[in-house]
Each structure stands twice: as structure tokens, then as C-alpha cells.
Amino acid sequence: MSDRSEREPAGEPLWREALGECLREIRHERGEKLADTARRAGVSPQYLSEMERGVKEPSSEMIAAVAGALEVTLIDLTSAVTENLRAAQSGLPSGVTLLAA
């Protein structure tokens, strides 16, 4: 695979990378193990790990399953990813700030 800098402009992560970062941050904030979240979402721990690392391009169904397992809405998750992308673009520090319903 080619170097990431050849695939995209510097400082602009891919959607799957930003999504994975948010999923991992939410899971860590909840103090959950990857295997526990994966089990509740109905995915393998390996698949969730690949999602979190931005390796997988998950379907909307997989994203919804993991969001549900983390007890966040798709709107909240999408908003958090968007905020992290905006922060990366502006050079500000990113971080997930979600209020679970």
C-alpha cells in the first residue's frame, strides 16, 4: 500500500480513520474492553480493532451496531467525528465530547 501522504493532503485524515479514533476514545472513556464492546455489537474483537485503527471501511450497519453497543446515537457519533475532523483541519486538539442519551 502507498504512503498515506500520497493518498491525501497532510493533516486531513480519512473518514474511517476519524471514525475509528472516535470509537476508540468513546470506548476508553467508558472504561470498556474491546472484546466486551465487540460482543455487544455482534462483531468480532478483531473487526472492531480494525475499525478503531481505521483499517476497515465499515458498513453503515456495522457503525450503527458499534454505536449502539457504546450507547451513543449515530447523530452524536457523526457529530463527534465531524468535530475531530474540523479540529484536525484547524490544528486544534481533538477529543470526543459526547453526552450519552
Side-chain angles (χ1 to χ4, degrees):
M1 181 173 268
S2 65
D3 180 62
R4 179 177 160 173
S5 62
E6 294 175 12
R7 293 183 284 135
E8 63 187 72
E12 187 173 7
L14 297 173
W15 171 259
R16 69 175 185 255
E17 294 169 341
L19 171 67
E21 182 180 316
C22 278
L23 292 173
R24 177 176 283 137
E25 287 178 19
I26 294 166
R27 183 175 59 77
H28 284 174
E29 285 176 1
R30 293 175 53 92
E32 292 189 9
K33 293 182 179 179
L34 189 128
D36 295 333
T37 303
R39 180 183 37 77
R40 282 198 321 280
V43 300
S44 72
Q46 295 82 5
Y47 190 88
L48 179 55
S49 174
E50 290 175 345
M51 282 178 68
E52 288 185 355
R53 290 182 286 127
V55 175
K56 284 287 186 205
E57 190 75 62
S59 68
S60 58
E61 289 86 359
M62 289 292 136
I63 296 168
V66 174
L70 292 170
E71 299 178 344
V72 297
T73 66
L74 287 175
I75 291 172
D76 288 340
L77 178 59
T78 303
S79 294
V81 173
T82 301
E83 287 304 313
N84 283 357
L85 288 170
R86 282 194 179 121
Q89 187 177 42
S90 67
L92 298 173
S94 64
V96 174
T97 53
L98 288 178
L99 299 175

